[in-house]
Amino acid sequence: MEIEKTYNPAKAEQTWYQYWLDKKFFKSVPDKRTPYTIVIPPPNVTGVLHMGHMLNNTIQDVLIRRARMLGYNACWVPGTDHASIATEAKVVALLKEKGINKTDLSREDFLKHAWDWKEKYGGIILEQLKKLGASCDWDRTRFTMDEPLSDAVIDVFIDLYNKGQIYRGVRMVNWDPQGLTAVSDEEVIHKEANSKLVYVKYQIEGSNDFITIATTRPETIMGDTAVCVNPTDERYAHLKGKKVIVPIVNRVVPLIFDEYVDATFGTGALKVTPAHDINDFNLGQKHQLQTIDALNPNGTISQAAGAYVGMDRFACRKQIITDLTEQGLVEKVEEIKNKVGYSERTNAVIEPRLSMQWFLKMDTVSKPALEAVLNNDVKLIPEKFINTYKHWMENVHDWCISRQLWWGQRIPAWYDAQGNTVVAKTKEEAIAKLKEKNSALNIAEVKQDDDVLDTWFSSWLWPLTVFDPNIVKRGWDKANEDLKYYYPTNDLVTAPEILFFWVARMIIAGKEYTGQKPFTNVYLTGIVRDKLGRKMSKSLGNSPDPLDLIAKYGADGVRVGMLLCSPAGNDLMFDENYCEQGRNFANKVWNAFRLIKGFTVDATIETPQSSKAAISWFENRLSEQLEIINEHYSKYRMSDALMTTYKLVWDDFCAWYLEAIKPEFIDGKAQPIDKTTYEATIQFLEALLKIMHPWMPFITEEIWHLITDRAEKDCIIVANWPSIKTNIDRKQLAEFEVSKELVTMVRNIRAQKQLSPKEQLEIIEKSDATHSYFDNTIIKLANLSAYSYTKDKVEGAFAFQIRTTEFFIPLANNINKDEEIARLTKELEYNKGFLQSVQKKLANEKFVANAKPEVIAIERKKESDALSKIKTIEEQLAVLG
RNA sequence: GGGAGAUUAGCUCAGCUGGUUCAGAGCACCUGCCUUACAAGCAGGGGGUCACAGGUUCGAACCCUGUAUCUCCCA
């Protein structure tokens, strides 16, 4: 059979993914085995695969595939999130292109468009995940707005309302004037901006004096209902009891005194606009100030402002500065840097706004969730996030859960014309409840709340409702078989950015409705940045399309590339070079297979000693390294686990083992290989393929089937993870390390003396021994004619040491005395310096008195080794004269 | 302004109980090789005042204090 020289990933990827699907290897149903479960962080239904998803989902797939091989019942639940604001914005934009305004549509018509859109374009991202090799149980695919899941969201709202945890009230919220909705604190991104700090003069009533205030928001002047200064600020003490006149609208407002004001900022005088700043709002409450809302929901100036009505807030800001300047009321304008909040979803500047919203009280429900992390019941990886988590959970604010949108779960609150409110699942139930409050109820006037719930108010139930949407209604005791079996899940892999949005809230919901944590380990990935450290973004155009990368380097290559450079919790400086390295690794594996497949087996020939030794060594080496790999996995050190695998395959297997056992060519003909060595080699290859499989699922499955014809379900995806041999011979491993050094030394000498690798050399070891286990392997690897032992020095040969042993290579015409003297002198100096430092240490009484005995023993060994080396070198120098 | 973390080779990172002259890996780099598995390769090599300044210790990349720079979170 002809095997191609380079690995071609495209075909293998297509073939095997379909094969796995057909054989239902990803499918999981509860059985006697221990489950291993991951629920996917559901990507936005509108989303397309980006580098962050790649990283995230590759890690999940590695964990799932390894668990499957370890014999767990591995279940990875996929799905998408309805992402209310992002999706609604997208649908609105699309309708606009068709000339349809959302405001012209009824709620029902809009939702119909939205669902049409979702059915047509939603979930592309899940198809893309398949290209990556994601082994999700696709039969379990869920969407956060699937009817049963939505139902559960409503159940939770009703339940928490009945428990008194949910309330409605007027609060200052983060208003997105573009999305026309409130957003939570976590959805506001604070960015540094260059702003103008305007110093405006307000006249003191009944005088020609002015008080100057500094503001970055002059367009809210029309909403001012006080001016405030610090009571300790002597500059303003004489103004006590006075009133001031707000410019533009000429409103007379009180001058108030409050500790809140920072006397050192600006002029020390603050304009108070209770409707447009949270701190001003608090001041307003405290001093019982009037509240004037000078802005409309869309960010234009409101009727109530009394001036500039209808003008956009930013246009108004400019205009008002011009107008005030003309009136001589602007003292100066300073350029400053301040933080401005932007909407995560629409990127509009957030406006603090007073409005009627629904809130969830966080103080009591968050306590068990904080404890779960502090007592390590839920482990955060890396641990450094525990502090951040603690800080947030201890300072948590009530959660604004209503959104002024249509796409999402509609709040199940109902009102009558008299302002009575009830919470109920259906209109009928609501009417019944309202009747209790209002005997004269006019049914025609009963209205449901127009708002929907925050998306996170549905995704916090994700690990519960993907398994059992009835959990809220029926309770943990009556949970279905799936939930009982898979929950709590094992690992959650997500970005630290949503630690509070999502992770904390899932723990809250889990504790509330099952009394249990939703997952045991939370692996927090970093942000994927470009190699300059910039966040990858569409606008910068610095984000490669993951599918292009897969086409170019193969899915296996990209997976390896991503994970080579991503320790947990660290941002990842992505560089295509890593994918290239991944692709090269796949090709290396491919060629190792090609070599082995090309062997001709002859059952009659005996196994050479060199191969026997190599097999024994690699058997030990494999177990030794597998132990380390398992250890890395158990600590979620993914890059380390991968790098150890990489070196085991490339260095140990390809560079040392295969070179040691591969048959020679005689007269241009490849010699056959003995059966024992061949079979051992195939076994090693299979074990290595298994260890590589979680990282490189496609190529390993491809080779697995090319090695031999296999039964229908004999696939590497369900093969057993290799076991570690019980008695690893570490002494032998150490011995081979010395042999490797010897081989390297010989190669080095060849390079220095410009000797062909084909020219055979001879090695003589100065030792009392007559042979050792790896002699023949060394002969093979270093291309020697002989390896012999002597008790005496060999004159006129090239001499060197490995550790404390002396070796000679007879090189009749190739010894340059001066060069040798220089080399040996340098080595002598180094060893003398080393000896000196060791002896200094040993001469130190305090060291000998305080250091651990093992440490002292090591130092003594170093001393004696150095002494013997020095002696040897001095002898060699003496011989050279 | 408050909090958390980081700073080790050109780059990305290890260094997990303080103990091999002040250190490791991968990539990149340099030199030599198209050697019948692989040039997507092979062999060999160079490269670091462990951010800076003090301190603790027989001994510090590691522990402590301060400084600088960067990142993130919260207000």
Side-chain angles (χ1 to χ4, degrees), chain A residues 7 553 556-561 564 577-593 641-654 688-689 691-693 695-696 699-700 703:
Chain A
Y7 171 59
Y553 300 104
D556 292 333
V558 179
R559 289 166 66 113
V560 168
L564 274 173
N577 275 342
Y578 288 111
C579 293
E580 201 180 323
Q581 193 182 348
R583 179 201 61 180
N584 293 356
F585 183 46
N587 194 50
K588 184 75 188 176
V589 173
W590 182 252
N591 276 288
F593 162 69
L642 174 57
M643 187 43 74
T644 310
T645 306
Y646 179 92
K647 286 195 280 192
L648 173 63
V649 172
W650 198 309
D651 299 343
D652 296 325
F653 186 65
C654 295
L688 290 170
L689 288 173
I691 298 171
M692 283 184 278
H693 181 261
W695 312 102
M696 314 173 87
I699 190 174
T700 50
I703 296 176

Side-chain angles (χ1 to χ4, degrees), chain A residues 189-480:
Chain A
I189 302 163
H190 295 274
K191 288 192 250 184
E192 191 143 279
N194 294 313
S195 301
K196 288 185 165 60
L197 184 64
V198 188
Y199 288 72
V200 185
K201 301 199 294 189
Y202 286 32
Q203 193 177 1
I204 312 288
E205 190 195 27
S207 118
N208 284 329
D209 279 349
F210 290 87
I211 183 168
T212 305
I213 59 92
T215 179
T216 55
R217 308 231 26 215
E219 72 278 14
T220 63
I221 280 176
M222 293 83 80
D224 285 359
T225 53
V227 167
C228 186
V229 296
N230 193 297
T232 61
D233 194 335
E234 300 195 348
R235 291 173 293 179
Y236 302 114
H238 66 286
L239 294 175
K240 197 154 191 183
K242 301 273 186 188
K243 293 195 170 195
V244 298
I245 301 166
V246 178
I248 311 284
V249 288
N250 296 321
R251 181 184 304 122
V252 177
V253 301
L255 182 75
I256 60 171
F257 293 82
D258 198 286
E259 309 272 331
Y260 164 74
V261 177
D262 177 359
T264 62
F265 184 80
T267 60
L270 174 80
K271 74 190 229 0
V272 184
T273 323
H276 297 291
D277 183 278
I278 180 66
N279 297 305
D280 292 13
F281 177 72
N282 293 335
L283 274 177
Q285 295 267 304
K286 191 165 159 191
H287 296 272
Q288 293 165 352
L289 300 175
Q290 195 190 350
T291 298
I292 296 165
D293 191 345
L295 290 173
N296 289 318
N298 66 1
T300 56
I301 306 300
S302 73
Q303 202 69 42
Y308 306 102
V309 175
M311 191 184 274
D312 178 77
R313 54 190 167 147
F314 298 115
C316 177
R317 183 180 297 174
K318 275 190 190 156
Q319 187 60 45
I320 215 163
I321 294 172
T322 311
D323 294 350
L324 287 171
T325 307
E326 271 174 22
Q327 293 174 33
L329 293 175
V330 173
E331 200 173 280
K332 61 176 171 176
V333 177
E334 273 177 12
E335 298 288 333
I336 62 156
K337 281 195 191 304
N338 65 345
K339 290 276 177 90
V340 175
Y342 292 83
S343 164
E344 189 192 39
R345 308 286 184 178
T346 64
N347 209 29
V349 174
I350 290 295
E351 199 61 61
R353 181 162 191 264
L354 282 174
S355 61
M356 182 69 101
Q357 304 286 346
W358 288 94
F359 292 88
L360 173 63
K361 288 185 197 167
M362 293 296 277
D363 49 357
T364 46
V365 291
S366 63
K367 284 214 170 65
L370 173 59
E371 268 165 40
V373 168
L374 291 186
N375 67 23
N376 235 359
D377 194 22
V378 174
K379 290 188 193 64
L380 301 187
I381 300 152
E383 288 179 353
K384 66 176 177 186
F385 286 106
I386 295 175
N387 281 330
T388 323
Y389 182 86
K390 181 167 179 267
H391 189 251
W392 190 79
M393 290 297 267
E394 284 173 347
N395 297 289
V396 65
H397 302 292
D398 285 358
W399 175 13
C400 174
I401 54 174
S402 43
R403 295 289 182 274
Q404 289 63 53
L405 300 167
W406 284 344
W407 179 245
Q409 289 93 9
R410 192 170 178 180
I411 291 175
W414 307 77
Y415 312 102
D416 68 10
Q418 284 67 44
N420 291 306
T421 304
V422 296
V423 165
K425 191 144 192 183
T426 62
K427 189 167 189 179
E428 291 67 39
E429 241 177 85
I431 288 168
K433 282 190 176 171
L434 279 169
K435 271 186 182 156
E436 288 172 25
K437 293 192 176 187
N438 174 9
S439 51
L441 182 76
N442 178 352
I443 291 172
E445 285 173 356
V446 172
K447 270 194 173 160
Q448 185 175 0
D449 198 298
D450 273 326
D451 294 351
V452 298
L453 288 157
D454 180 12
T455 304
W456 300 106
F457 196 85
S458 75
S459 38
W460 72 330
L461 304 176
W462 184 247
L464 297 167
T465 51
V466 292
F467 296 115
D468 185 359
N470 292 315
I471 175 68
V472 180
K473 248 177 285 178
R474 295 192 196 145
W476 176 243
D477 292 339
K478 289 187 183 127
N480 69 9

Side-chain angles (χ1 to χ4, degrees), chain A residues 614-630 644-645 648-649 652-653 657 680-692 721-725 728-730 732-733:
Chain A
I615 291 166
S616 172
W617 167 73
F618 191 75
E619 201 183 4
N620 283 304
R621 181 69 176 171
L622 181 63
S623 277
E624 181 201 37
Q625 294 300 302
L626 182 55
E627 214 169 44
I628 295 170
I629 290 166
N630 287 341
T644 310
T645 306
L648 173 63
V649 172
D652 296 325
F653 186 65
Y657 175 79
T681 304
I682 291 289
Q683 267 189 24
F684 291 149
L685 176 64
E686 289 189 349
L688 290 170
L689 288 173
K690 290 176 189 178
I691 298 171
M692 283 184 278
W721 189 252
S723 49
I724 294 163
K725 75 184 278 227
I728 299 173
D729 188 344
R730 294 184 200 272
Q732 195 193 75
L733 285 166

Side-chain angles (χ1 to χ4, degrees), chain A residues 476-713:
Chain A
W476 176 243
D477 292 339
K478 289 187 183 127
N480 69 9
E481 191 194 2
D482 269 9
L483 191 66
K484 288 264 188 198
Y485 182 74
Y486 292 113
Y487 191 93
T489 68
N490 295 71
D491 298 338
L492 178 80
V493 180
T494 191
E497 305 159 302
I498 55 175
L499 191 56
F500 312 124
F501 274 118
W502 192 44
V503 180
R505 287 169 185 165
M506 280 191 287
I507 304 176
I508 293 174
K511 288 277 176 183
E512 183 75 21
Y513 291 105
T514 67
Q516 298 190 54
K517 62 190 174 184
F519 29 71
T520 304
N521 302 293
V522 181
Y523 181 102
L524 296 152
T525 62
I527 295 166
V528 183
R529 299 174 179 278
D530 67 10
K531 61 182 168 184
L532 300 174
R534 298 172 305 180
K535 215 168 170 171
M536 287 197 168
S537 71
K538 262 189 206 157
S539 52
L540 275 173
N542 60 349
S543 178
D545 182 339
L547 296 182
D548 290 347
L549 289 176
I550 288 175
K552 198 163 162 194
Y553 300 104
D556 292 333
V558 179
R559 289 166 66 113
V560 168
M562 298 275 334
L563 294 187
L564 274 173
C565 55
S566 60
N570 273 26
D571 286 359
L572 176 159
M573 307 298 162
F574 181 78
D575 187 331
E576 260 191 59
N577 275 342
Y578 288 111
C579 293
E580 201 180 323
Q581 193 182 348
R583 179 201 61 180
N584 293 356
F585 183 46
N587 194 50
K588 184 75 188 176
V589 173
W590 182 252
N591 276 288
F593 162 69
R594 262 183 80 210
L595 172 69
I596 296 166
K597 192 72 187 170
F599 289 155
T600 321
V601 185
D602 182 344
T604 63
I605 49 177
E606 232 181 283
T607 309
Q609 167 59 27
S610 58
S611 296
K612 281 186 192 162
I615 291 166
S616 172
W617 167 73
F618 191 75
E619 201 183 4
N620 283 304
R621 181 69 176 171
L622 181 63
S623 277
E624 181 201 37
Q625 294 300 302
L626 182 55
E627 214 169 44
I628 295 170
I629 290 166
N630 287 341
E631 168 84 3
H632 284 318
Y633 271 114
S634 73
K635 297 194 169 145
Y636 293 86
R637 295 181 197 143
M638 305 300 277
S639 314
D640 292 335
L642 174 57
M643 187 43 74
T644 310
T645 306
Y646 179 92
K647 286 195 280 192
L648 173 63
V649 172
W650 198 309
D651 299 343
D652 296 325
F653 186 65
C654 295
W656 291 102
Y657 175 79
L658 287 178
E659 290 302 328
I661 61 105
K662 99 183 174 192
E664 286 164 299
F665 276 75
I666 298 177
D667 299 330
K669 267 194 76 180
Q671 297 302 298
I673 193 165
D674 66 279
K675 199 159 172 268
T676 310
T677 304
Y678 182 76
E679 281 169 1
T681 304
I682 291 289
Q683 267 189 24
F684 291 149
L685 176 64
E686 289 189 349
L688 290 170
L689 288 173
K690 290 176 189 178
I691 298 171
M692 283 184 278
H693 181 261
W695 312 102
M696 314 173 87
F698 296 109
I699 190 174
T700 50
E701 191 73 86
E702 172 82 358
I703 296 176
W704 183 257
H705 292 272
L706 288 173
I707 290 173
T708 182
D709 282 335
R710 294 182 188 268
E712 197 182 31
K713 291 211 169 177

